[in-house]
Amino acid sequence: MEIKPLLLSFFFLLLLDASKAQMPGFVSFDCGGKENFTDEIGLEWTPDIKLIYGETAGISVTNETRKQYQTLRHFPADSRKYCYTLNVISRSRYLLRATFLYGNFDNNNVYPKFDISLGATYWSTIVISDASTIEVRELIFLALSPTISVCLSNATTGQPFISTLELRQFNGSIYYTDFEELYYLSVSARINFGADSEAPVRYPDDPFDRIWDSDSLKKANYLVDVAAGTEKVSTRKPIYVNSKEVPPQKVMQTAVEGTNGSLTYRLNLDGFPGFGWAVTYFAEIEDLGPDETRKFRLVLPGNADLSKPAVNIEENAQGKYRLYEPGFTNLSLPFVLSFRFGKTSDSKRGPLLNAMEINKYLEKNDGSLDGASIAKIVSYYSSSNWAQEGGDPCLPVPWSWVQCNSDPQPKIVKITLSGKNLTGNIPSDFAKLTGLVELWLDNNSLSGPIPDFTGCIDLKIIHLENNQLTGELPSSLMNLPNLRELYVQNNMLSGTMPSGLLNKNLILNYSGNINLRKGSKSGSHMNIIIGSSVGAGVLLIATITSCLFLSKGKKRYFEQDQLDHSPPVQRLVSSKSKAHTEAAYCFTFSEIEDSTRKFEKKIGSGGFGVVYYGKMKDGKEIAVKVLTSNSFQGKREFSNEWHGTVANLAIELEIN
């Protein structure tokens, strides 16, 4: 008969011995701190000095002496998010805790309000209402990847800030639910009933460092409406707790008893209304007489079905000083929870309650559909500041160099990495961003070939200029139905321009690639290209050229008549070498000005200058090249392209 108490005592001693050393899987960040230290309860703290974002600040709160709360890290009140990335073990469960002590760190006395998220999932809104009160948020989750990101964003007032960030690993099946793949558990209440002081119970009494708030703590709407006859009871005997959520010994050694037959409480539940996980912890810690029984029922207003089962702690737990843990894994709860434990008619002793936990189901957001692809891209540049923003690329707010659409599970539509010192080949993962509309990778040191973007059918704008790209311009670019701008100038591309790109309604610049040739053009659309200098220079050149041609008499009208009866494709003035076999037509400046509506519509640009759209009186569409007067390269390209035609004024015409 003495074996069982001895075993219980031995188990209790083992727990005490294990609690002397910090559990593995503990991470404690002293945000804004400068050095490692161990606190008064044995937790080891590390400063968050590796975080490249935000600024550190100290606070001054008279009654707060704990070192981890003397500093904090704060972030700009902008549209970005700022994330901590923590390593975890996949398929393990964790408790994540973030705390916030304002302490008027900014000397503004403006109480901040901002959001905290876990990855893409919105977690909570932090509302500071007192400079010296610590706000605490806790989340229980199953890790499904090697890292997690805790992000602050969307400041409504003041600046986002954080005092501590803690990660505690559970073992076994603690807090297992059937819904853990889809939901997190947001901790709303964890209460130690019958506590002998207002101090919480935590590590080392709880080896997982859960914080069990005292029911003696006085705060607004916390455990009010206490029934008359409620008394605290306790024991020093060890309690067998090695099952399910394993509440700590110290918590189970205290309780409240309803000596008048009832225990009644009311409290506000953070995050509710909603569906939750609610568990009560019982252990019979009083020696009942031979003819005494303790039986009672839980009464929840509006949930009559939950009030039917009766609790007999000693019978349900199969003995005294043993844990009995009834609860509900999927229960709809209000924001203001009122509950009562009432003894049954055949019970001589009133109800007893040791502890309670209530968590809300927080639906996980799977985040952007492009999360895996963009994570692979970021991994190539992990040492760059822009690649360390963390969290989901789109949610709850996008990275600073990313734009996303508004779908519930968004896609990336724009990448802006201009001038970010990118090197190496363009990652092929960019081509996996199927919703991409704009890609800006210009002014870097990228090399190698241009990837096949065929899968990005929405691509409209591609900027790859001023890099060191090699190889041919992919003909697959012609398969992008929405492509409107393609800039690849000043690279080391070679080969022949795909003819389809030349015939598309496309703003195209490929200058500065000395080995990239313009191939023969085909098609039935008319293209008239006229080049000239800007401003008054255009008028002067046009006038001079007009006079030169008019001096030949009425030859112009004869040649125009030839033009009207020319074959389907005929070049008029391509080069000096062909001038003796082809006719020329002189445009006056007023004709150019009328056709372009005084150079109203810009349709492109290149090394030579700007291209304007125009339409002649006979309906022929033209593109007018205007040479930039201060561009030596432009003059050379213009001259080379038009083979030195008189006054750099020429016409190229394709006729239907």
Side-chain angles (χ1 to χ4, degrees):
M1 298 297 293
E2 297 297 320
I3 295 178
K4 184 175 289 186
L6 285 173
L7 288 176
L8 290 176
S9 298
F10 179 68
F11 176 74
F12 181 48
L13 290 173
L14 285 177
L15 283 179
L16 287 177
D17 186 64
S19 69
K20 292 179 182 178
Q22 181 169 294
M23 292 282 287
F26 274 31
V27 176
S28 304
F29 279 127
D30 173 22
C31 302
K34 292 180 171 53
E35 60 184 7
N36 295 344
F37 69 94
T38 301
D39 67 13
E40 63 277 4
I41 63 173
L43 292 173
E44 299 170 3
W45 292 87
T46 304
D48 62 345
I49 54 179
K50 292 184 178 180
L51 196 70
I52 65 173
Y53 300 109
E55 297 180 7
T56 63
I59 66 166
S60 178
V61 176
T62 304
N63 297 325
E64 184 54 69
T65 60
R66 289 170 290 182
K67 188 172 182 178
Q68 62 267 33
Y69 292 112
Q70 301 304 308
T71 60
L72 55 77
R73 184 176 292 272
H74 60 95
F75 306 93
D78 54 21
S79 60
R80 292 180 56 177
K81 64 172 176 277
Y82 298 91
C83 303
Y84 288 81
T85 299
L86 306 176
N87 294 324
V88 291
I89 299 174
S90 186
R91 306 306 303 179
S92 294
R93 294 181 195 86
Y94 289 87
L95 170 68
L96 178 66
R97 179 162 53 235
T99 68
F100 311 87
L101 178 57
Y102 172 52
N104 195 28
F105 72 87
D106 53 4
N107 296 315
N108 287 330
N109 280 315
V110 176
Y111 293 158
K113 180 180 179 180
F114 53 93
D115 293 339
I116 184 172
S117 61
L118 179 58
T121 303
Y122 164 81
W123 178 0
S124 179
T125 296
I126 309 303
V127 181
I128 303 300
S129 56
D130 182 1
S132 59
T133 299
I134 299 175
E135 291 289 331
V136 181
R137 296 293 185 273
E138 291 185 324
L139 199 67
I140 296 169
F141 68 95
L142 173 69
L144 298 177
S145 63
T147 62
I148 61 164
S149 291
V150 181
C151 305
L152 306 179
S153 63
N154 295 331
T156 304
T157 59
Q159 300 178 70
F161 74 94
I162 185 167
S163 300
T164 69
L165 184 61
E166 304 165 70
L167 189 66
R168 309 290 186 248
Q169 184 179 358
F170 294 121
N171 58 25
S173 60
I174 295 179
Y175 296 106
Y176 166 80
T177 75
D178 292 331
F179 319 107
E180 62 183 0
E181 303 278 346
L182 302 175
Y183 292 86
Y184 301 131
L185 289 176
S186 179
V187 179
S188 185
R190 189 187 296 114
I191 306 167
N192 174 26
F193 287 95
D196 56 7
S197 72
E198 293 187 0
V201 173
R202 60 177 302 181
Y203 183 85
D205 296 299
D206 187 331
F208 302 114
D209 192 31
R210 292 166 293 188
I211 296 177
W212 299 82
D213 287 328
S214 168
D215 66 336
S216 299
L217 188 65
K218 305 300 181 184
K219 57 183 181 180
N221 301 315
Y222 180 74
L223 301 181
V224 294
D225 293 346
V226 181
T230 300
E231 295 184 0
K232 295 185 177 184
V233 295
S234 63
T235 184
R236 292 181 177 274
K237 294 182 180 181
I239 311 297
Y240 182 80
V241 296
N242 192 25
S243 65
K244 294 187 178 179
E245 277 56 65
V246 195
Q249 288 276 331
K250 189 172 182 178
V251 167
M252 296 306 298
Q253 288 174 319
T254 63
V256 288
E257 181 182 8
T259 59
N260 290 347
S262 290
L263 291 172
T264 59
Y265 290 99
R266 177 169 60 87
L267 73 159
N268 291 351
L269 295 178
D270 290 337
F272 284 88
F275 285 93
W277 177 100
V279 167
T280 49
Y281 300 103
F282 301 108
E284 183 55 78
I285 60 175
E286 290 195 302
D287 294 322
L288 305 182
D291 60 343
E292 289 184 316
T293 58
R294 191 192 306 277
K295 295 173 64 178
F296 54 91
R297 287 189 173 90
L298 168 66
V299 178
L300 286 176
N303 289 276
D305 291 341
L306 302 181
S307 304
K308 293 179 180 179
V311 174
N312 183 326
I313 300 175
E314 187 173 352
E315 182 179 291
N316 294 130
Q318 299 181 352
K320 295 181 180 180
Y321 308 107
R322 296 178 64 92
L323 172 67
Y324 174 52
E325 185 184 321
F328 306 95
T329 59
N330 191 4
L331 178 67
S332 178
L333 292 171
F335 170 61
V336 180
L337 175 65
S338 296
F339 63 93
R340 180 175 71 88
F341 290 99
K343 75 172 187 174
T344 61
S345 58
D346 57 345
S347 175
K348 289 192 175 182
R349 299 292 293 268
L352 182 143
L353 175 62
N354 301 75
M356 173 183 289
E357 277 192 276
I358 300 175
N359 304 318
K360 182 187 178 183
Y361 283 109
L362 183 65
E363 186 173 6
K364 293 167 59 175
N365 190 318
D366 291 330
S368 169
L369 291 170
D370 298 321
S373 296
I374 202 70
K376 189 71 176 296
I377 294 170
V378 166
S379 69
Y380 300 135
Y381 307 99
S382 57
S383 61
S384 301
N385 288 355
W386 61 266
Q388 298 182 40
E389 294 193 30
D392 185 84
C394 296
L395 297 171
V397 294
W399 291 340
S400 60
W401 48 276
V402 164
Q403 287 185 18
C404 306
N405 62 21
S406 57
D407 294 346
Q409 200 168 355
K411 285 186 173 184
I412 294 173
V413 296
K414 183 178 180 180
I415 297 287
T416 306
L417 288 173
S418 305
K420 297 293 186 181
N421 298 316
L422 307 184
T423 59
N425 290 1
I426 298 176
S428 59
D429 300 274
F430 278 117
K432 298 177 183 178
L433 305 178
T434 56
L436 199 60
V437 176
E438 296 186 35
L439 178 62
W440 297 72
L441 300 178
D442 53 291
N443 293 291
N444 287 294
S445 298
L446 293 166
S447 56
I450 297 175
D452 183 354
F453 288 104
T454 303
C456 305
I457 59 173
D458 295 325
L459 257 179
K460 291 183 179 180
I461 298 173
I462 301 177
H463 278 260
L464 303 176
E465 68 267 27
N466 302 321
N467 279 286
Q468 300 168 21
L469 300 173
T470 57
E472 296 187 347
L473 201 58
S475 59
S476 60
L477 292 169
M478 295 187 297
N479 300 325
L480 299 177
N482 298 298
L483 189 61
R484 295 295 177 265
E485 291 184 23
L486 177 60
Y487 288 76
V488 293
Q489 68 268 27
N490 301 325
N491 279 285
M492 294 184 288
L493 300 173
S494 58
T496 303
M497 281 288 300
S499 59
L501 292 177
L502 297 173
N503 292 332
K504 289 173 67 73
N505 182 20
L506 177 68
I507 299 174
L508 172 64
N509 192 335
Y510 58 93
S511 62
N513 293 277
I514 59 176
N515 294 317
L516 182 60
R517 301 180 303 278
K518 180 179 178 182
S520 60
K521 297 191 295 181
S522 60
S524 60
H525 292 84
M526 290 185 300
N527 292 312
I528 303 176
I529 303 176
I530 305 172
S532 69
S533 61
V534 295
V538 174
L539 177 60
L540 179 62
I541 293 173
T543 303
I544 294 173
T545 307
S546 175
C547 292
L548 289 174
F549 281 105
L550 287 174
S551 66
K552 297 183 179 180
K554 296 183 179 180
K555 183 177 180 180
R556 167 181 173 185
Y557 300 100
F558 170 75
E559 290 170 345
Q560 181 62 44
D561 182 67
Q562 285 183 321
L563 172 64
D564 294 337
H565 298 86
S566 62
V569 178
Q570 180 178 1
R571 287 183 179 271
L572 306 182
V573 184
S574 299
S575 67
K576 287 184 177 180
S577 60
K578 295 183 179 180
H580 66 282
T581 60
E582 295 176 333
Y585 178 72
C586 176
F587 290 84
T588 66
F589 179 71
S590 60
E591 287 179 292
I592 297 170
E593 201 173 40
D594 290 340
S595 66
T596 61
R597 295 187 178 180
K598 294 186 177 180
F599 304 96
E600 176 183 62
K601 184 176 181 181
K602 176 183 174 182
I603 61 173
S605 63
F608 53 82
V610 183
V611 181
Y612 295 91
Y613 172 83
K615 194 170 186 179
M616 304 301 292
K617 291 181 179 180
D618 59 1
K620 295 183 177 67
E621 294 178 316
I622 64 172
V624 181
K625 289 185 178 181
V626 180
L627 177 64
T628 301
S629 59
N630 60 356
S631 172
F632 173 77
Q633 180 183 352
K635 291 178 181 178
R636 183 175 59 188
E637 290 175 8
F638 190 96
S639 178
N640 289 342
E641 183 167 356
W642 297 104
H643 305 287
T645 308
V646 176
N648 280 347
L649 181 66
I651 306 165
E652 182 179 67
L653 178 64
E654 293 182 7
I655 307 173
N656 288 325

